[in-house]
Amino acid sequence: MDLPAVPAADAFSAECAQSLRNLAAVVAAQGRTLGADAACCVAFVRDARRASDACHVWDAYSGHRAPLIVVTVPNLPRGAAIEWHATLRDPRGSSGGAEDEDDDEESGFEDDGESLS
């Protein structure tokens, strides 16, 4: 899924859109789609005044299908202004049945989703 055109009024908005495209590429490499498979997303931003910009880009991309949490942090790696973290839905469509419980016991995992950042 391509990121919809979002006006990049400034460098932050451009970085916001590009970094989200990068995350979408990581998800796509697993045969998934960020917009359709995200259960939730977290945007880490250095400037709290830019939270609404991050929300705008996420909403345009996800179509309001997954909630976004914006966290203000003092620094990000490589001087980035924003970093995204997405938790994906379980591709098996887990409903928590007995078969899923057995799979969890064998693998040692109880988490229903995957996290990518």
Side-chain angles (χ1 to χ4, degrees), residues 75-91:
N75 288 309
L76 289 169
R78 300 183 184 186
I82 186 165
E83 184 170 312
W84 299 93
H85 172 93
T87 300
L88 304 179
R89 290 181 180 86
D90 186 343

Side-chain angles (χ1 to χ4, degrees), residues 1-18:
M1 176 179 195
D2 290 329
L3 185 65
V6 175
D10 56 30
F12 177 83
S13 296
E15 182 178 340
C16 193
Q18 182 59 54

Side-chain angles (χ1 to χ4, degrees), residues 16-40:
C16 193
Q18 182 59 54
S19 60
L20 189 55
R21 280 199 245 352
N22 294 346
L23 178 58
V26 171
V27 173
Q30 296 182 15
R32 316 272 302 275
T33 25
L34 183 59
D37 293 325
C40 69

